[in-house]
Amino acid sequence: MLSALIWIPVIGGIIIGFLPNQLAEKSRSLALVIGSIILAFTLAIGLQFDPNQSGLFLSESFSWLDQLGLTYYLGVDGLALPLIFINSFLTLIAIYTSSTKLARPRFYYALLLFLSAGTAGAFLAQNVLLFFLFYEVELIPLYFLIAIWGGTNRGYAATKFLLYTAISGALVLASFLGIVWLTGASSFDYDVLRSQVLPLSSQIILLLILLAGFAIKIPFFPFHTWLPDAHVEASTPISVLLAGVLLKLGTYGLLRFGIGLFPDAWNLLAPYLAIWAAVSALFGALAAIAQKDMKRVVAYSSIAHMAYILLAAAAATPLSLTAAVAQMISHGLISALLFLLVGVVGKKTGTRDVDTLRGLLNPERGLPIIGSLLILGVMASAGIPGMAGFISEFIVFRGSFSVFPIATLLCLVGTGLTAVYFLLMINRVFFGRLPLAFSNLPAVPWSDHVPAIVLAILIVTLGLQPNWLVRWSETQTASLSNFDTETLAEVRPASRSLLQPGQSIKESQWWRSL
Amino acid sequence: MEFASNFSDQLNVGLILPEGIVVATLLAVLIGDLILGRRAARGLPYIAIAGLLLSIVSLYFYWDAENPTALLGSFSGDDLSIIFRGVIALSTAVTILMSIRYVEQTGGALSEFIAIMLTATLGGMFLAGANELVMIFVALETLSISSYLMTGYMKRDSRSNEAALKYLLIGAASSAVFLYGSSLLYGLSGGKTILPEIAQGLAQVEGGELASAIALVFMIAGIAFKISAVPFHQWTPDVYEGSPTPVVAFLSVGSKAAGFALAIRLLVVAFPLEQPQWRLIFTALAILSMILGNAVALAQTSMKRLLAYSSIGQAGFVMIGMVAATQAGYASMIFYLLVYLFMNLGAFTGLILFSLRTGTDQITEYAGLYQKDPLLTLGLSICLLSLGGIPPLAGFFGKIYLFWAGWQAGLYGLVILGLVASVVSIYYYIRVVKMMVVKEPQEMSDTVRNYPAVRWNLPGMRPLQVGLVFSLVVTSLAGILSNPLFTLANTSIENTEALKSASTFLEETTAQNKEVSLADPMAPAIVEK
């Protein structure tokens, strides 16, 4: 069942890749069919999920390479399920929004499906080496997707992306090798590793390596420089996937492996992580204000919004961890919507320059529906109540404030700045008088509206019915944050020195006295 | 008669049947060429390939042989040698596939070329099992001299001549250094030539540390030349650039595998007590090879030179297994060499195909190739990405095995350097892939624009196609299905008596030394040793 999420797109991709020349036109429809099948499968898996239970509710395990400790062990729990859903959903949207007049369609759709398979595999993997394998698998398809179908400077952006992500992968691998070797575990299986106890000092070193690896992927300031380039050069569907799903691999890794494998070190480093989150959020927001390219604005806002996840993860209260997952979902949907609409604006007007565009909201000759949807997306991103962004950001701050008040307040300022840069953008691009140059815009066909409308409906629904957003992961993340009951029941020898006798580690959060 | 049967037991000639088959094939090719002339030359390469495959099949029957020593102890047919002999024979078989068209198009005599290549293979196979200094040297020279001949095979091409001369001079010098090291070893061990006896002889010598260290360094220098480890690599780029491409393929795979086989056997069996020293030397070689090989490859504009430097870097990765000096380390070396065989030969097949069709091997000339030759693009891309260690291709798993073995042996620095080096290597491999796959039709190079129609039915093209597809399939699948292959590599190390007895010998001697030091507190020197 779970393997189907990986193997259907792989096999579909291979079939599409080897379609004969006459059938090349059909590759899009075929990809759509495969995408729908994957989404249907995801929904079927979701139906079996009981939100009250933590732990894996579906799993598959085969031995693979025993000498390496690499097993083909897939599983899905409340943390992975929403992300898998987002992946399948956005893959379908990306296929749908891809231009019908693409060059080399077979190669394109095959790569898109490989990308989806790799991402699903990474979310499903319950063996850290398997996770690493899938984490690296998506590298080459994405590289080609940017390098072949991207903008003018695509070669540079694609290579930059490739090298940054390859370094990220190397760091993650080093950390995984380190934990297995230091604990002397017999395999790379996640649950085996989770039951191991490491001395605090080695936990800290390994966690720092892991953090650096994922920080490149997410990305956090100062490792973010590849992201704006990649977004600007990538075509719209690829930007949607990159912001909506691929960046989540990093934050998923933080939650699953950072907190899951190194709980003590995470606890110790948490205050610094919170400060880092605040810096990254403020940097992203301020940088977004200065941007002239609409896509760059959205890209920098993405950096700012991903930082909230780090803040929530650092606080590591049950509420804030649920919030982290909720923020991943809502950011996935919102940034996908924003990139879609910015892509339409860019396609219709031929530019994404904030200084040139004016008055596009003009109801007769402009792009009124696109404009309205974009305003909705921007409102969601800025955390206006009634939309998914509000819910997730609110619980992020609500969950983290008690632990890191200052960092949370700084992040709140970042949210305020979201309104600033997006309103600046909206104000310039959509209001005012439509200049003559843009007065004869081609009509936007309905097919361009559909995905954006679907996303918008989803964003509003989740905003009005927040339970659907957080219910998935609540139980699972609660068990993840349970340092005191589970993992520290046998108080670790190394971390004992930090604790007063009889005190749980939650109470010992030393920075609280500051 | 007892003496005779005992003697034939010791001789145990049956063990070298696989080599015997290669010799028979070699003779068949030579005589067939003489008698039947040009007419029959078409079929000779296939006879050679059939002979090599037969030899590989016969190797299978000696797996776990009861008495793995032959020729009075100078040749060892243990599982370690079997797997290396298989790798060498297989690499020659694939190389012959790619050389048929190449040699014909460049106007050489094919059957002579194949005869020389089979001789080199014979040398390599004997080297993989050689257990005695004279045997090692003879096998090494058989391999080397035939390699010199092959590099100069395009005698009208001045670059080929230059390559042959350079290779000959540097090769002869390194052989001499190796021979000098052997002579020191012979003297130090009290006149022993068989490797395990040398180890015992060395252990009994007192005060010979300096001399044995010199012998060790000299012999490693000779090996490092064969596996083109930095700083003994200077010949590589020039020789690779000038020689016929199939020869380069053989040098970078078959000849290297033979070098690694020699390295494992010689160092582990003859120098068990000097393990810290040779591990140190190999650490240095590995570091330098990984850094220099990968860094210089970044700047190359010719595909052949790119592969030359990349093969230096790849040898650096393999040496991590050598430095680990554990069973897992050797096993992952063997596994990596196995997959390296396919991915590197696949890359060379692609390179030969391209240069046969266009007459150039500049990387920029590959621009837009996907339009004209999808199969070549696919094969070459997959092989290059696999060399760069991209999952789920074979090279990724090979590297993971190596890095994991190194990490388990505590070589953090080396493994991290290896990780960094593979990131760097992705950059230059992807550059070529980008040229072929990413470039738009309007950015196509003139060469590709005038690319001849792809015709596989020309004489000699079919084998190239077979070689390419075969490498492509193995490179794609060998990693995912690596369990049997790695188990094979692991068992070969496990079942090899020589490695086991060497490690027990090391333990015993250290234990003895400890006893000595406990009994005599005035003997700290031995403890240090």
Side-chain angles (χ1 to χ4, degrees), chain A residues 64-65 67 104 143 147 181, chain B residues 370 412 434 437-438 480 482-483:
Chain A
W64 186 7
L65 305 180
Q67 285 94 344
R104 302 164 77 185
Y143 168 81
W181 189 77
Chain B
Y370 78 93
Y412 314 115
K434 188 169 131 192
V437 180
V438 174
I480 299 172
S482 64
N483 215 6

Side-chain angles (χ1 to χ4, degrees), chain A residues 18 63-70 103-104 107 129 132-134 136-137 139-140 143-144 147-148 154-156 159 162-163 166-167 170-171 173-174 177-182 185 188 206, chain B residues 370-371 378 385 389-392 396-397 400-401 403-404 407-410 412 415-416 419-420 423-424 426-427 430-431 433-434 436-440 443 479-483 486-487 490:
Chain A
F18 286 99
S63 70
W64 186 7
L65 305 180
D66 300 330
Q67 285 94 344
L68 266 182
L70 174 60
R104 302 164 77 185
F107 194 36
L129 210 52
F132 169 72
L133 196 154
F134 284 119
E136 292 273 281
V137 159
L139 213 104
I140 294 297
Y143 168 81
F144 281 132
I148 300 181
R154 56 189 187 274
Y156 166 76
T159 307
L162 182 73
L163 289 182
I167 294 169
L171 290 167
L173 178 65
L177 289 179
I179 182 170
V180 173
W181 189 77
L182 287 174
F188 283 86
L206 293 175
Chain B
Y370 78 93
Q371 292 252 321
L378 180 70
L385 290 177
I390 301 288
F396 169 80
F397 288 92
I400 288 273
Y401 278 118
F403 291 161
W404 180 228
W407 195 275
Q408 279 175 313
Y412 314 115
V415 171
I416 288 172
L419 286 171
V420 174
V423 173
V424 174
I426 291 176
Y427 180 77
I430 203 83
R431 226 180 70 208
V433 178
K434 188 169 131 192
M436 294 188 292
V437 180
V438 174
K439 292 284 177 192
E440 302 292 325
E443 294 169 300
I480 299 172
L481 308 174
S482 64
N483 215 6
F486 190 78
T487 314
N490 214 12

Side-chain angles (χ1 to χ4, degrees), chain B residues 102-232:
Chain B
Y102 187 92
V103 176
E104 276 182 0
Q105 191 159 332
T106 40
L110 183 58
S111 47
E112 279 168 34
F113 181 79
I114 286 171
I116 302 173
M117 184 157 274
L118 285 175
T119 317
T121 314
L122 195 65
M125 286 172 80
F126 270 118
L127 190 60
N131 203 23
E132 192 239 354
L133 288 180
V134 177
M135 184 79 177
I136 290 176
F137 189 70
V138 172
L140 189 67
E141 284 305 279
T142 314
L143 174 61
S144 303
I145 293 173
S146 358
S147 304
Y148 307 148
L149 283 174
M150 285 194 292
T151 49
Y153 202 69
M154 303 290 126
K155 52 188 171 228
R156 287 186 202 87
D157 182 352
S158 62
R159 284 188 311 168
S160 178
N161 286 324
E162 182 197 333
L165 189 63
K166 265 189 183 154
Y167 195 30
L168 173 67
L169 289 178
I170 303 178
S174 96
S175 294
V177 170
F178 184 83
L179 195 58
Y180 187 51
S182 322
S183 73
L184 281 176
L185 211 54
Y186 178 72
L188 279 170
S189 59
K192 300 284 193 288
T193 55
I194 294 180
L195 296 184
E197 292 177 8
I198 290 176
Q200 281 161 5
L202 280 181
Q204 285 156 8
V205 170
E206 280 183 30
E209 287 90 1
L210 182 64
S212 70
I214 292 176
L216 179 69
V217 170
F218 280 3
M219 298 187 92
I220 289 183
I223 297 170
F225 166 78
K226 267 273 159 272
I227 56 179
S228 63
V230 179
F232 302 96

